[in-house]
Amino acid sequence: MSWVLATVALLVVVYGALLIALVTGARRWDIRALARFVPHCAVLFKRLLADPRLPIRWKALVVAVIAYLAMPFDLVPDFIPVAGQLDDVIVVALVLRWAVRRAGPSLLREHWPGPAASLAVLERLAR
């Protein structure tokens, strides 16, 4: 039982560190572009779920992320300006980083619905 609590505590600390990094780095990034990034990723996830080239394990992770994005509550509530959307960005970015490494950038380019500049950021994130 203690290893479960330790794991959860570690995940909370890592998540908090990522959230702080996004908030402090927001001065250099366009927050509006980050806010639009999540809806583009939702469309990307939908398209990837329909792609038969992806393994079932990856599709299960995508379904979990979609469920997290659709939940009415988050770790940081969405009614909190900027930070509410940034926690969604962190979750999506971590899953997309894993997806790019597993599926390859060509599959993501094929399904990406957003602007090329956002895709370039996503590809840099995966490296």
Side-chain angles (χ1 to χ4, degrees):
M1 181 66 172
S2 64
W3 67 270
V4 172
L5 292 176
T7 302
V8 169
L10 178 65
L11 288 174
V12 168
V13 168
V14 168
Y15 183 82
L18 289 171
L19 186 61
I20 289 169
L22 267 176
V23 170
T24 57
R27 292 182 214 117
R28 295 178 297 176
W29 304 327
D30 183 6
I31 295 299
R32 290 177 302 241
L34 284 175
R36 285 181 288 219
F37 183 74
V38 172
H40 289 310
C41 290
V43 172
L44 173 68
F45 287 156
K46 179 183 170 204
R47 292 177 181 176
L48 288 173
L49 282 173
D51 194 319
R53 296 174 283 184
L54 289 177
I56 298 294
R57 196 174 24 181
W58 195 90
K59 289 181 182 185
L61 182 61
V62 171
V63 168
V65 169
I66 291 171
Y68 174 77
L69 293 175
M71 285 189 323
F73 56 89
D74 290 339
L75 292 175
V76 179
D78 286 338
F79 64 82
I80 297 174
V82 181
Q85 287 74 34
L86 289 180
D87 76 313
D88 293 341
V89 171
I90 290 171
V91 170
V92 169
L94 289 174
V95 170
L96 286 176
R97 179 182 173 126
W98 184 78
V100 169
R101 290 183 173 182
R102 296 287 187 260
S106 62
L107 187 63
L108 292 180
R109 280 188 214 115
E110 180 182 330
H111 293 298
W112 182 250
S118 297
L119 182 61
V121 169
L122 177 62
E123 289 174 341
R124 276 196 309 261
L125 173 74
R127 290 187 211 135

